Every structure is written in structure tokens, then in C-alpha cells.
Amino acid sequence: AALLAASTAAADYPEKPVTVIVPFAAGGPTDKVARDLAEALRKPLGATIIIENVGGVGGTLGANKVAKAAPDGYTLLLHHIGIASATALYRTLPYKTLEDFEYLGMINEVPMTLIGRPNLPANNYAELSKWLESNKGNINLAHAGVGSASHLCGLLYQSAIKIDMTTVPYKGTAPAMNDLLGGQVDIMCDQTTNTTGQIEAGKVKAYAVMSSKRLSSGALAKLPTADESGLKGFNLAVWHGLYAPKGTPKAVIDKVNAALRVALKDADFHKREEALGAVIINDARLAPAEHKKFVEAEINKLSPVIKAAGIYAD
Ligand code: MLT
């Protein structure tokens, strides 16, 4: 009878609002992607989408909440590269990345930018490097918790330039950006979904794009890549995907995946995301199996780099 109930529930899915957990504070880049996507997903999925921000511990609190949620399709997770990097950064994660989630498809890739507080006395990458050298031991790098994209970028940047910094964690890069704008912290790596507006308004110093190619739009087109600036081969872009608890019925997974594919073609979604430097995924990784394979490959790629940098969150 329970099996019958579950299969009819799956067939009738969705019959009530669907909650998408964002594992970072409202107003940040992950939240931005989630709210943009929710707009485009509502119609094809046929459900009201509720965004719930569950920040903390580099996104692992929110991820764990979904891993432990009822596998009925009404609690989903929108997460980024942190779902892979946390696997290497935490010795005791409360969930298993490749076993405790169903993979519903990938969403986009977002470049990272290296920015500084508005009054930082360095106006380009070379001047920043000099300033960092002369302020060794007194540099504050903001990020969104160990396991976040901003932390991963900051970690890789520190080990690439061999300058240790004090890392200041926040529940997301929205609150981190407030302190950067206020001059409480010095630099931060963050996604263009969160930094484009500030850079174009001249509210922060902008030093480099941390992914492999320059950005095309507006003020960001002037930004050199880290590779051009001397960090040979530095390339970190933040990808986002959608997840459900393990055991979510295949009929539900297929419905969400089909709706996601329609949402990602939505013109308004494209316009909003591309204006902020994001690139919408349009390849095999839209399929759950390929999405999962990609995350596994990212775990295998990031783990040795993170271990070489010698840090663990716990
Ligand atoms: C956010 O949404 O706050 C960011 O994605 C956090 C991060 O991963 O840096």
C-alpha cells in the first residue's frame, strides 16, 4: 500500500509548493541563481517555488538538510562547486556527496573575480601584488565559509602567490560584500553574479578574472585574467546544479529534469544570467547521470589540489 501511495504521489507530483534550499545567505550569488531559476522553473514544473536560505559551514548545513529531507521532490538543493570541494575539505561531512543525493541536472557556470575594498591603495593586479607583499601578516580575505566557492578561490589564490592571509568567514558572500564595501576586510574572490554590479559602479577595486578567459560585458572586459597577470594556469569557474535527496522517485527526478531543461531555455533567465557573466549549461551535463559524473570528476580534480594546500575545515 505504501509503495502504491508513493508511486501515485510521484505520478501526481507536484501537488504543492516545492522548496529549493540555498545553502548560503540571501542576496548572494547562489541565491541570485536560485531566484532567477525559480522564475523560469515555476511554469514548466507547474509548482510554486519557495527559496529557503540555510547558510553556514560553507554550504554544508544546507546541503545536509536536503540530504536528510523526505525524498518526495518537495525539498531540493541548489548548490555550486562547493558540493565537490567540501568533500575534500571536511574529514567528517554529515552526508556522502555521491551517495546521498539524486542529481537533477546542471544549471550554469559563473566566473570568479578578485576584488578589493574601495580604499585599498592598489588599482591593478601588479599594485595589489606589491601591497600584499608589504602587508604580509595583516591581510584579511573574506569568504563564505570553508567549502564555499569564495573560500576555495581564496585558498587556491593564497597557495599560488605563497602569501598566507587571515581568512574571515561569513554565511555567504552577500554579508561578506557588505564588510568589503565598508573596508572591514581587504580582498575577496567572488562570482560575477555578485560582483558585476559593484565593479561597474566603481564601488570596489577589481583586479582579475579568476577563470580562463576574459569577460565580454562592460567594465569587466577590461579585467585581465589571473593567468594573464602571472598566475599561469589559474582557472576557477563556479558551476551550479540541482539536487534532491537520495531515493526520490525516478518519475519525480524526470519531471524536475524536464522542467529544468525548459527553464534553462527561458529568454529572461538567459538575459539576467548572461548580464552577470554566467554561462547557461547546454550540454550532456543537463542529464542526471552526466551531472553526477561531472561532480565526481570535480571531486577527483579538486581533492589533490586542496590536500596539497594542506587545509581541512575540521
Ligand atoms: C554565496 O552564495 O554566498 C556564495 O556562493 C558563497 C560562496 O560559495 O562563496
Side-chain angles (χ1 to χ4, degrees), residues 22-33 53 58-59 79-82 85 112 142-145 147-153 170-176 188-191 193-194 238 240:
V22 170
F24 294 100
T30 313
D31 187 60
K32 173 80 188 127
V33 173
N53 298 86
H79 201 350
H80 59 37
I81 193 171
S85 59
M112 290 293 262
H143 62 83
S148 66
S150 46
H151 171 262
L152 177 63
C153 186
Y170 293 81
K171 286 199 179 308
T173 45
M188 172 162 80
C189 259
D190 196 16
Q191 298 166 66
T193 26
N194 199 32
V238 179
H240 294 78

Side-chain angles (χ1 to χ4, degrees), residues 38 55 75 93 295 299:
T75 309
L93 266 184
V295 172
I299 291 172

